[in-house]
Amino acid sequence: MYKVSIMEFRQLQLFVAVAEELHFGRAAARVRMAQPPFSQQIRKLEEELGARLLARSSRRVALTPAGMQLLEHARALLVKRAEAVTSVQRVAEGETGMLRIGFGASSAFGVLPELIRGFREKYPGIALRMEDRDSLDIGHALANGELDVAIVRAPFRYAGVDTESLRRERFMLALPEGHPMAQRRRITLASLANEPFVLFPRDTAPGLHDTIVSICIEAGFSPAVMHQAVSWPAVISLVKAGLGVTIAPASAQAVLPGGVVFRNLPGVTIQAELLLAHARHARSVAAERFRAVALSSRL
C-alpha cells in the first residue's frame, strides 16, 4: 500500500540540486548547506515517499527511475511555486488583480470614462469589472465587500461606506427640440410647473431623485412625473420623443441625441455632485490606487 507523503518545497529544492549535480558535496555547497544535514533531508524525503531516489556508491551518484520521475515533477512544482509567489506579491502590491467598480446610470458619462482611461493607462495589469447598479444595490455591495469602489451621485449615505467628492456640475433643463420653450435662451423653472416630466424611479437613486424634486418644490411646484426610465440615456430618449421635459446633470449632454436641447436654469444653485464611494475598512491596494487616481483628477 502506498502512503501519502507530505513533501516540503525545501526538500524538493535540495533534491533537484543533487539530481542536477549528481554529487552530494557540490549540491550541498550550491544550496549553502552543510553536507550531513543535506544528506539527512534527502534520506528523509526517500523515507516519506517510500522510494529510493538516488543510487549511491563510493564513486558516483545516479538517479533511479523513481528519482527521474520525481525530478520532472519537482522542477514543475518549483516553477509553479515561484509563479504563485510572484502572482500573489503583484496582487498585494496592486500591480495586478481584479478591481470591481460599481457605477450608477448618471455616472456612466462624464467623469467615469475619463477616470477609467486614466487608471488603465497607469495600471494596465489590473483587470476591471464594471457593474451598473442602482444606488441601493451599490451601497449594500460596498458594505458587503462585493464591490471595491463606486462612482455615485450625492447624496449617498450607507453604513460602513465612505464617500469623497469628485466633481460638481450644474443641473440643466432638457426638452424636446420642438417644444415651444426650446427657442428661449432663458427659461425659469417656475414656467415648467404645468409641464409633464420624465424621470427615473425613486428607488433606483433616491438621493438624486429627491434632489431634483426639491429643486422644483423650491420653485413652487411638484413635478408631474408622467413617464419613467431607469437610465439617463433612456430618460433623454423619452424627452426626445416629446413625452415631457426633465432636469438632469450637465454631463447628461454627453448622450445628447438629435431632437433634444439643454438649457441653463437661472436661479438654481443646487449642484449635482459625483462621489467616489468605498468601504470604510479593508480596502485593497488596487482600490487605494484607483482612489488616488480619482482624487488627483477631481474638479
Side-chain angles (χ1 to χ4, degrees):
M1 179 181 294
Y2 295 106
K3 59 182 179 179
V4 177
S5 172
I6 302 176
M7 294 183 295
E8 298 178 358
F9 279 108
R10 180 59 174 167
Q11 288 177 311
L12 293 180
Q13 290 172 328
L14 301 184
F15 171 73
V16 169
V18 72
E20 292 177 347
E21 297 290 344
L22 294 178
H23 189 284
F24 276 81
R26 290 196 301 269
R30 172 172 153 180
V31 297
R32 298 180 181 179
M33 188 174 180
Q35 184 172 334
F38 180 94
S39 299
Q40 291 173 6
Q41 287 297 318
I42 298 300
R43 282 195 296 271
K44 181 180 178 183
L45 178 60
E46 289 178 316
E47 291 171 1
E48 290 178 349
L49 288 172
R52 191 180 180 197
L53 303 174
L54 298 162
R56 305 164 177 84
S57 72
S58 59
R59 301 183 60 183
R60 64 191 294 267
V61 175
L63 286 169
T64 66
M68 293 178 184
Q69 183 70 17
L70 178 60
L71 178 60
E72 179 182 344
H73 290 296
R75 283 171 170 161
L77 284 169
L78 291 173
V79 167
K80 286 293 184 183
R81 175 182 181 270
E83 291 174 350
V85 170
T86 299
S87 177
V88 169
Q89 289 175 339
R90 292 190 69 192
V91 171
E93 293 168 2
E95 295 179 8
T96 61
M98 171 74 72
L99 184 65
R100 302 159 300 173
I101 305 173
F103 63 96
S106 67
S107 60
F109 41 80
V111 68
L112 184 61
E114 302 168 15
L115 181 51
I116 295 304
R117 281 194 298 269
F119 184 78
R120 292 187 68 185
E121 288 175 4
K122 193 166 186 179
Y123 301 106
I126 299 177
L128 302 181
R129 190 175 78 194
M130 310 299 298
E131 297 193 18
D132 183 1
R133 302 187 180 202
D134 62 46
S135 61
L136 184 60
D137 282 346
I138 287 175
H140 290 322
L142 287 170
N144 295 333
E146 298 169 19
L147 290 174
D148 299 303
V149 294
I151 307 298
V152 295
R153 289 282 178 185
F156 186 88
R157 299 182 185 89
Y158 291 89
V161 176
D162 288 336
T163 60
E164 297 171 274
S165 180
L166 290 180
R167 181 173 297 181
R168 294 177 182 272
E169 57 183 327
R170 66 188 184 280
F171 281 103
M172 299 186 72
L173 170 66
L175 66 165
E177 191 174 56
H179 193 282
M181 296 186 187
Q183 301 306 313
R184 301 182 191 175
R185 303 311 301 175
R186 180 181 175 85
I187 301 173
T188 63
L189 193 54
S191 66
L192 304 173
N194 296 320
E195 294 291 328
F197 271 71
V198 182
L199 203 56
F200 49 91
R202 185 180 184 277
D203 57 5
T204 61
L208 181 59
H209 182 283
D210 291 350
T211 297
I212 292 173
V213 170
S214 69
I215 289 173
C216 296
I217 290 175
E218 285 187 9
F221 70 96
S222 180
V225 179
M226 306 303 294
H227 302 279
Q228 294 184 325
V230 296
S231 69
W232 279 116
V235 168
I236 300 302
S237 293
L238 294 183
V239 171
K240 176 184 177 181
L243 296 178
V245 302
T246 195
I247 296 173
S251 56
Q253 294 177 89
V255 293
L256 179 66
V260 176
V261 297
F262 277 74
R263 294 289 182 264
N264 290 325
L265 289 169
V268 175
T269 58
I270 297 175
Q271 291 186 311
E273 184 178 16
L274 275 173
L275 305 173
L276 173 68
H278 44 78
R280 188 163 297 155
H281 305 293
R283 287 195 298 271
S284 67
V285 176
E288 288 288 2
R289 289 188 166 176
F290 185 86
R291 174 176 175 268
V293 170
L295 296 182
S296 69
S297 62
R298 64 182 173 183
L299 298 176

